[in-house]
């Protein structure tokens, strides 16, 4: 295991913080929404579809904002304060989910919270060039995801205990849910402070007189550079498809499991197991890059996810969901960490936020396609199995385009 510097550790800690919110979006938030919506007479298929649409709205907002804010954040002294603004937005949104509201307002607050989370990642990912060296980038990136998975288990276990024992100890379900959201918001904020304290923007461009005009000019130059650099272009095209499938599975696994009859307790405990398994697997993938090409490991992960989707089509039992959770855990951290470090290597270091703005368009910002596809297919067919099956197209397309990127020299 590599030795992490203080700046690298502080950078990793932010993953520990925001991963608590990621766990909520994968478990508690969709369960709470579906319970509220179905309690008001909404069908299971419709509640899954509406939650998918809300996730799609978030990714569209992120796709529009990410490259513009990325261009501004690359200017000296801008990256940290813009990052902090999105963190505050996400933390406040997470805390406000504790309010007892109807299903529509709940979705609105969720959109605000997740927009803050996704916006912060544009700058967090780009900070990687400021906190570590090119030799360590694969392993530091992998450590971020790995410690994020295991660290988020702490507030998640407390959250599970609050929810499972709310009635026996006289707390009540509503108060327990309120405490869960407040606890995770505070955890996220606390884990952010070390990075805000120690981060120094080493890679930057100087501020020009006409800030907005210059930012859009540099944005246009980046778009032209991506188009001209075919290796970067084909990688982003591949990333668009395969990571879209990955994030759709993360966002919608609980809703799908609930639709096929898996209990709330099994869903939460299986996803807790996923976090525990993902920790060593993420570090393993980072370590394997010393002996195996990162691109090959990305290809293996894409094929692994394709297998997950095909197996999920026939899932009906709780043990099958547990098995799938472990399978996802094996590949999840690896494919995210290696994609991030792969992109870090092929971009100009002093324009990292600009380029990661486009990375988010093709990745998290483009994930609306998967959730929209799943939601529409589920609503039209009346079953979420149809939507899950269509996700296989994303992984097949992603694999083929990634092979094309690897064969391109420039």
């Amino acid at each position: 295991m590599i030795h992490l510097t203080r700046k690298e550790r502080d950078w990793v800690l932010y993953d520990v913080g925001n991963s608590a919110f990621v766990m909520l979006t994968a478990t508690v938030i969709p369960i709470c929404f579906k319970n509220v919506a179905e309690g008001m007479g909404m069908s299971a298929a419709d509640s899954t579809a509406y939650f998918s649409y809300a996730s799609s709205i978030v990714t569209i907002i992120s796709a529009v904002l990410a490259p513009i804010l990325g261009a501004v954040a690359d200017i000296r002294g801008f990256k940290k304060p813009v990052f902090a603004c999105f963190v505050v937005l996400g933390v406040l949104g997470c805390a406000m989910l504790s309010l007892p509201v109807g299903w529509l307002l709940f979705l609105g607050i969720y959109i605000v919270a997740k927009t803050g989370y996704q916006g912060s990642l544009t700058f967090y990912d780009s900070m990687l060039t400021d906190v570590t060296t090119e030799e360590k980038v694969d392993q530091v990136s992998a450590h971020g995801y790995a410690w994020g998975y295991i660290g988020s288990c702490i507030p998640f276990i407390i959250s599970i205990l609050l929810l499972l024992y709310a009635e026996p100890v006289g707390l009540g379900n509503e108060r327990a849910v309120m405490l869960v959201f407040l606890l995770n918001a505070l955890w996220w904020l606390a884990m952010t402070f070390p990075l805000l304290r120690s981060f120094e923007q080493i890679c930057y461009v100087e501020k020009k007189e006409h800030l907005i005009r210059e930012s859009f000019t540099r944005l246009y130059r980046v778009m032209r550079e991506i188009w001209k650099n075919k290796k970067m272009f084909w990688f982003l095209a591949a990333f668009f498809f395969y990571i879209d499938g990955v994030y759709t599975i993360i966002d919608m696994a609980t809703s799908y499991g609930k639709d096929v009859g898996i209990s709330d307790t099994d869903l939460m405990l299986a996803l807790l197991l996923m976090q525990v398994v993902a920790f060593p697997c993420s570090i393993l993938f980072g370590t394997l890059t010393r002996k195996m090409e990162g691109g090959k490991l990305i290809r293996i992960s894409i094929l692994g996810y394709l297998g997950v989707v095909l197996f999920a089509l026939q899932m009906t039992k709780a043990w099958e969901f547990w098995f799938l959770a472990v399978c996802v855990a094996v590949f999840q951290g690896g494919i995210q960490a290696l994609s991030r470090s792969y992109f870090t290597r092929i971009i100009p270091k002093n324009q990292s936020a600009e380029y990661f703005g486009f990375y988010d368009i093709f990745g998290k910002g483009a994930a609306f396609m998967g959730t929209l596809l799943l939601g529409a297919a589920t609503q039209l067919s009346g079953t979420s199995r149809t939507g899950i099956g269509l996700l296989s197209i994303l992984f097949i397309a992603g694999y083929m385009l990634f092979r094309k990127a690897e064969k391109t020299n420039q």
Side-chain angles (χ1 to χ4, degrees):
M1 189 177 292
I2 63 168
H3 171 73
L4 297 177
T5 66
R6 179 189 171 187
K7 288 184 179 180
E8 289 167 347
R9 287 197 303 270
D10 291 345
W11 183 84
V12 166
L13 273 177
Y14 182 68
D15 227 321
V16 175
N18 72 59
S19 291
F21 177 71
V22 175
M23 282 298 287
L24 289 185
T25 63
T27 53
V28 177
I29 292 175
I31 288 172
C32 284
F33 171 70
K34 288 180 75 67
N35 287 342
V36 170
E38 290 170 25
M40 298 176 69
M42 189 182 295
S43 70
D46 280 346
S47 64
T48 296
Y50 285 130
F51 193 76
S52 296
Y53 297 150
S55 297
S56 297
I57 290 170
V58 173
T59 52
I60 291 171
I61 294 171
S62 300
V64 173
L65 291 179
I68 299 170
L69 292 171
V72 174
D74 271 325
I75 298 169
R76 179 194 276 190
F78 275 64
K79 190 178 289 186
K80 182 159 64 173
V82 180
F83 165 73
C85 287
F86 275 95
V87 172
V88 170
L89 182 67
V91 169
L92 287 177
C94 180
M96 288 177 65
L97 285 169
S98 65
L99 300 175
V101 295
W103 69 266
L104 186 58
L105 185 54
F106 183 91
L107 278 186
I109 297 171
Y110 167 69
I111 288 170
V112 170
K114 198 170 182 187
T115 298
Y117 158 73
Q118 289 202 349
S120 74
L121 291 187
T122 299
F123 310 107
Y124 173 66
D125 289 342
S126 71
M127 287 174 176
L128 191 55
T129 59
D130 297 288
V131 301
T132 191
T133 63
E134 188 166 340
E135 293 74 24
K136 294 172 69 179
V137 67
D138 279 324
Q139 294 174 75
V140 173
S141 180
H143 271 266
Y145 281 109
W147 288 103
Y149 291 136
I150 200 69
S152 65
C153 290
I154 298 172
F156 187 63
I157 289 172
I158 298 173
S159 299
I160 289 178
L161 292 174
L162 282 170
L163 294 172
L164 291 180
Y165 295 100
E167 292 298 336
V169 301
L171 185 63
N173 285 328
E174 285 190 11
R175 287 180 183 171
V177 170
M178 183 181 299
L179 286 174
V180 164
F181 286 120
L182 292 175
L183 166 68
N184 283 271
L186 288 172
W187 175 271
W188 184 359
L189 185 62
M191 293 297 108
T192 306
F193 282 135
L195 180 58
L196 292 175
R197 184 184 61 243
S198 67
F199 177 75
E200 295 178 17
Q201 188 174 351
I202 298 171
C203 305
Y204 55 80
V205 294
E206 293 292 348
K207 181 180 178 181
K208 299 295 178 66
E209 184 178 352
H210 302 287
L211 176 61
I212 302 299
R213 188 175 68 187
E214 176 60 22
S215 296
F216 276 98
T217 300
R218 287 191 291 107
L219 195 60
Y220 174 69
R221 284 201 297 265
V222 169
M223 291 172 63
R224 289 185 60 188
E225 181 59 32
I226 291 174
W227 176 253
K228 286 163 49 179
N229 188 320
K230 294 306 178 186
K231 186 176 187 67
M232 193 184 301
F233 175 79
W234 288 117
F235 167 73
L236 287 174
F239 186 67
F240 177 94
F241 285 99
Y242 73 73
I243 211 68
D244 190 355
V246 170
Y247 287 126
T248 301
I249 289 173
I250 292 172
D251 284 344
M252 303 307 300
T254 304
S255 290
Y256 178 67
K258 203 165 168 58
D259 285 351
V260 298
I262 312 300
S263 71
D264 291 355
T265 301
D266 275 318
L267 289 172
M268 289 191 291
L269 292 177
L271 289 170
L272 174 61
L273 174 65
M274 185 177 76
Q275 298 296 99
V276 174
V277 174
F279 170 68
C281 290
S282 298
I283 293 178
L284 175 63
F285 269 80
T287 304
L288 285 174
T289 56
R290 296 176 181 176
K291 299 180 179 180
M292 192 181 300
E293 186 185 18
K296 185 175 182 179
L297 292 170
I298 291 175
R299 294 200 309 271
I300 291 171
S301 299
I302 295 172
L303 293 176
Y305 264 101
L306 178 60
V308 165
V309 168
L310 296 177
F311 185 85
L313 288 175
Q314 56 78 55
M315 183 177 70
T316 57
K317 301 178 178 65
W319 74 263
E320 292 174 323
F321 189 85
W322 284 73
F323 174 73
L324 278 182
V326 172
C327 291
V328 169
V330 171
F331 301 109
Q332 183 171 301
I335 197 169
Q336 291 177 288
L338 293 176
S339 296
R340 179 167 61 188
S341 56
Y342 187 99
F343 189 65
T344 298
R345 283 198 171 90
I346 60 176
I347 62 173
K349 302 299 181 287
N350 65 334
Q351 295 173 272
S352 58
E354 279 181 300
Y355 279 86
F356 268 102
F358 282 94
Y359 179 85
D360 273 0
I361 284 182
F362 286 85
K364 299 178 187 70
F368 75 92
M369 186 174 69
T371 51
L372 190 61
L373 186 68
L374 189 150
T378 297
Q379 214 164 20
L380 289 172
S381 66
T383 172
S384 49
R385 292 187 191 276
T386 306
I388 290 293
L390 288 177
L391 294 183
S392 61
I393 299 171
L394 303 179
F395 293 110
I396 293 170
Y399 183 89
M400 294 173 65
L401 289 169
F402 188 76
R403 290 293 291 162
K404 187 173 182 65
E406 287 189 299
K407 294 175 182 177
T408 304
N409 293 325
Q410 185 189 356

